[in-house]
Amino acid sequence: MGAAPLHREVERRLVEHDVRYTRGRRAVVDALADSPGPRSAAELVVTMDDPVPLSSLYRTLSVLEESDVVVPHLATKGIARYELAEWLTGHHHHFICTSCGAVEDIELTPTDEEAVDSLVDRIAERAGYVPTNHELEIAGLCKECA
Amino acid sequence: MGAAPLHREVERRLVEHDVRYTRGRRAVVDALADSPGPRSAAELVVTMDDPVPLSSLYRTLSVLEESDVVVPHLATKGIARYELAEWLTGHHHHFICTSCGAVEDIELTPTDEEAVDSLVDRIAERAGYVPTNHELEIAGLCKECA
DNA sequence: CCTAGAATGAGAATCGTTCTCGTTAACTAT
DNA sequence: ATAGTTAACGAGAACGATTCTCATTCTAGG
């Protein structure tokens, strides 16, 4: 999704929730859109053109989360990382490096994603659940740490 | 696994790592074995017969984690919850109910687990990672909430 | 352009977790 | 069993990520 349509979608969603789509919030959405994976507040600050105070950044992330524009990713102990919600970026999975703590997105091939989907459906049906979402998290060593 | 064999297995593992299986560590393992799900440090304290200081409890959990006797579960923002490791309780995945928030273990059939394993290996190899662990989290509605 | 209410920035406060250090308990060899 | 050595423990301080407070600054609507 390009930047303009992204902002249009996000603005529509925020207006629905009676909050403004301000410059600071746009900047956070841009920073997340540029990230190849979930990013913590501290990580976001360094990637942004003009730095935002952490207190504002946390509040912005909280507002965006309430409107389901971003979702928190909590796999790394002690820090919350955020990414744009799936309805904005599409479905993907995560890889977590057990050595350096980096978190990266993993795109599956359509074939693999189909395999995961059917597996999830089968598993959930057998257990009596109604699945609405799923995520495969792979932990291990990233290229740098291997 | 009963309490006695559990303690025997844990002790063997700890001794391999040159750490002692003391009374306090036994108490934490017992508390986790009695828990129907992952427990945070604060939650563990209240369930234990004689309360352990938090500083000791955190150190104990850290020691147990280093020896792979317990693993952290980080689904709740800002709090780490621990459970006994898979080699003690069996490999499982998690289902999270989006309605009531319940977290339940999911056991896969050997066939399905093999399918997940090979899928994980294939995905990780393509991305250049060395996978050591994985978890499939399925979100949706549990039996009660469906 | 004015105004009311929302958003922001700076810093203090909070909360989970980790660190420090003096004390206590657990193995080892006698 | 006892003493000596060293790991483990307890208490509290310290730390880091996040949240809160409140005075100031934007923003949308009139």
Side-chain angles (χ1 to χ4, degrees), chain A residues 3 14 17 33 47 51 61 68-69 81 83 87 95 100 122 130:
Chain A
L14 290 184
H17 284 253
T47 69
L61 289 169
D68 196 36
V69 170
R81 290 164 197 266
E83 60 187 345
W87 67 275
F95 172 82
C100 68
R122 189 145 32 96
V130 180

Side-chain angles (χ1 to χ4, degrees), chain A residues 77-100:
Chain A
K77 189 175 183 175
I79 58 178
R81 290 164 197 266
Y82 291 82
E83 60 187 345
L84 295 180
E86 280 190 1
W87 67 275
L88 289 166
T89 60
H91 181 63
H92 60 263
H93 299 271
H94 288 126
F95 172 82
I96 302 163
C97 181
T98 53
S99 176
C100 68

Side-chain angles (χ1 to χ4, degrees), chain B residues 20-23 41 54-55 58-59 78-80:
Chain B
R20 299 170 182 169
Y21 196 30
T22 60
R23 206 173 303 110
L54 274 177
S55 58
Y58 278 112
R59 181 178 31 213
I79 305 178

Side-chain angles (χ1 to χ4, degrees), chain A:
Chain A
M1 192 182 290
L6 172 63
H7 284 309
R8 213 181 313 127
E9 296 277 340
V10 172
E11 174 150 40
R12 191 168 57 75
R13 175 62 64 97
L14 290 184
V15 169
E16 280 173 14
H17 284 253
D18 296 316
V19 296
R20 300 171 180 168
Y21 197 28
T22 60
R23 208 173 296 109
R25 289 169 185 174
R26 254 170 244 269
V28 172
V29 168
D30 276 329
L32 286 173
D34 290 341
S35 298
R39 289 289 173 265
S40 69
E43 288 166 348
L44 280 176
V45 167
V46 302
T47 69
M48 294 175 70
D49 296 337
D50 68 292
V52 178
L54 275 177
S55 58
S56 300
L57 181 50
Y58 278 111
R59 183 180 29 216
T60 294
L61 289 169
S62 167
V63 167
L64 294 177
E65 185 184 352
E66 275 165 23
S67 297
D68 196 36
V69 170
V70 306
V71 292
H73 188 262
L74 307 164
T76 304
K77 189 175 183 175
I79 58 178
R81 290 164 197 266
Y82 291 82
E83 60 187 345
L84 295 180
E86 280 190 1
W87 67 275
L88 289 166
T89 60
H91 181 63
H92 60 263
H93 299 271
H94 288 126
F95 172 82
I96 302 163
C97 181
T98 53
S99 176
C100 68
V103 181
E104 299 181 42
D105 291 346
I106 297 178
E107 304 283 346
L108 265 58
T109 64
T111 307
D112 283 346
E113 190 58 57
E114 272 173 39
V116 172
D117 285 349
S118 66
L119 203 51
V120 165
D121 287 344
R122 189 145 32 96
I123 293 163
E125 186 183 5
R126 181 160 42 235
Y129 302 132
V130 180
T132 59
N133 199 2
H134 68 266
E135 191 190 335
L136 181 61
E137 295 211 346
I138 302 177
L141 297 175
C142 70
K143 291 170 183 167
E144 284 76 37
C145 296

Side-chain angles (χ1 to χ4, degrees), chain B residues 21-32:
Chain B
Y21 196 30
T22 60
R23 206 173 303 110
R25 289 168 183 175
R26 254 172 243 268
V28 172
V29 169
D30 276 329
L32 286 173

